[in-house]
Amino acid sequence: MDKQRPPGHTGYPGLQAAYPGMLAGYPVPQADYSVPPPGYSGAGPVGSPVQHQPVYNQPGGPAGVPWMPAPAPPSDCPPGLEYLSQIDQILIHQQVELLEVLIGFETNNKYEIKNILGQRIYFAVEDTDCCTRNCCGANRPFTMRILDLMGREVITLQRPLRCTSCCCPCCLQEIEIYAPPGVPLGYVIQNWHPCLPKLTIQNERREDVLKIIGPCLVCGCCADVDFEIKSLDEENVIGKISKQWTGFVREAFTDADNFGIQFPLDLDVKMKAVMLGACFLIDFMFFESTGGQEQRAGVW
């Protein structure tokens, strides 16, 4: 799962067996996409040089980073999510904020969301007031706005204020995913467990679809920390969300983290977007603290 697959890829034969009943409510993207618009050249074969696309004045986005060419949208695909239909891996890079490094003043987080070729898919910007950020810290409620190359908001993530104590199994963590903004797409809710971080992915009707299970200790020195995405019976692993080790200096002095998400290529784009929301929730729950002092068992 370390390479982007072409649109004609037939997917994963064991997908239906891995999480039975899931695909019935979510149509799988078809391989026979409609003909792309004139002038669309495609991403090119795997291994070919990255084609630099026009760079727009994205708020906070570094100049010179190429954008992924827009594929033809599958049927029943929310606008802006067509990029997710042709990838099975997402890379999320949080930008280092100089003000946070120098004086510890918490600023709105910003993230680049890329495909495996390094092409930018989206740009995510936190929208939280100064008082909430610096008083509540990593436990703060937030709104995350995910923008496409034209600066249009295509996904909205909302995290309400919730309890962070393992002694209180009610009012646990959750995040709501909307695409387009205002239209519910899915939810990620925390499940109480004395030892393991556990989350449940739900669809827009709040029906359980998948599970996310992390390690007992989420502090990984010199190694990635993997949260496995499993079927509801927890028997089959279909993907993972990985917090990637970024080196001693960055881990010690910043809260800027890198993540990778892997999922089946033919998974419905709606669930891929919900997994994106799950990644941001995991970041704030376990890795947002500076200086390597990530939250431990007390958060679940």
Side-chain angles (χ1 to χ4, degrees):
M1 302 176 67
D2 58 349
K3 291 185 178 180
Q4 186 179 8
R5 292 171 173 79
H9 176 64
T10 56
Y12 293 75
L15 184 59
Q16 183 71 29
Y19 36 103
M22 176 184 168
L23 297 182
Y26 290 92
V28 177
Q30 301 299 316
D32 54 344
Y33 297 116
S34 58
V35 178
Y40 170 69
S41 58
V46 175
S48 62
V50 176
Q51 298 178 358
H52 286 259
Q53 304 298 316
V55 178
Y56 295 86
N57 293 325
Q58 187 71 0
V65 179
W67 286 85
M68 175 181 174
S75 60
D76 195 30
C77 176
L81 300 192
E82 60 270 12
Y83 297 93
L84 302 178
S85 65
Q86 296 187 354
I87 58 176
D88 60 6
Q89 186 168 348
I90 296 176
L91 305 177
I92 302 173
H93 297 161
Q94 183 176 353
Q95 294 186 353
V96 176
E97 300 295 338
L98 186 59
L99 196 59
E100 290 188 20
V101 176
L102 295 179
I103 64 175
F105 183 85
E106 186 70 34
T107 60
N108 278 319
N109 289 351
K110 301 180 182 68
Y111 305 81
E112 283 188 284
I113 303 172
K114 303 178 181 179
N115 62 15
I116 195 61
L117 300 178
Q119 298 170 322
R120 193 187 301 164
I121 309 172
Y122 303 115
F123 191 80
V125 183
E126 180 187 356
D127 185 6
T128 308
D129 64 84
C130 177
C131 181
T132 300
R133 289 196 309 272
N134 290 277
C135 292
C136 299
N139 300 322
R140 63 186 180 267
F142 65 79
T143 297
M144 190 76 65
R145 307 190 188 280
I146 299 180
L147 316 175
D148 65 5
L149 78 167
M150 298 299 294
R152 296 171 298 194
E153 184 176 350
V154 295
I155 305 173
T156 303
L157 311 177
Q158 290 187 346
R159 179 202 191 190
L161 184 63
R162 288 290 186 266
C163 178
T164 59
S165 173
C166 65
C167 300
C168 183
C170 61
C171 201
L172 296 176
Q173 296 292 313
E174 72 172 72
I175 193 167
E176 305 163 359
I177 298 91
Y178 299 89
V183 179
L185 191 69
Y187 305 85
V188 181
I189 61 172
Q190 180 188 7
N191 305 121
W192 185 86
H193 193 278
C195 300
L196 297 175
K198 287 192 171 186
L199 303 167
T200 297
I201 294 177
Q202 299 179 329
N203 60 21
E204 72 275 13
R205 298 180 295 275
R206 286 196 174 270
E207 299 168 342
D208 294 352
V209 177
L210 294 168
K211 296 283 188 178
I212 299 176
I213 302 176
C216 184
L217 293 177
V218 298
C219 178
C221 182
C222 301
D224 295 350
V225 181
D226 293 335
F227 292 75
E228 293 183 329
I229 303 171
K230 296 187 173 184
S231 55
L232 286 179
D233 58 9
E234 301 183 9
E235 294 295 326
N236 300 286
V237 178
I238 69 158
K240 65 180 180 179
I241 298 173
S242 300
K243 193 273 182 184
Q244 300 169 346
W245 173 256
T246 56
F248 286 104
V249 174
R250 182 160 176 160
E251 295 284 345
F253 295 103
T254 77
D255 60 0
D257 300 309
N258 291 344
F259 286 86
I261 310 176
Q262 297 179 11
F263 39 64
L265 178 66
D266 50 3
L267 183 66
D268 184 71
V269 293
K270 297 177 183 178
M271 285 296 100
K272 292 180 181 181
V274 175
M275 289 181 188
L276 187 60
C279 182
F280 284 107
L281 180 60
I282 288 172
D283 181 25
F284 275 81
M285 287 176 65
F286 303 110
F287 304 107
E288 180 64 11
S289 299
T290 308
Q293 299 179 5
E294 290 89 354
Q295 301 181 50
R296 304 298 196 272
V299 78
W300 59 80

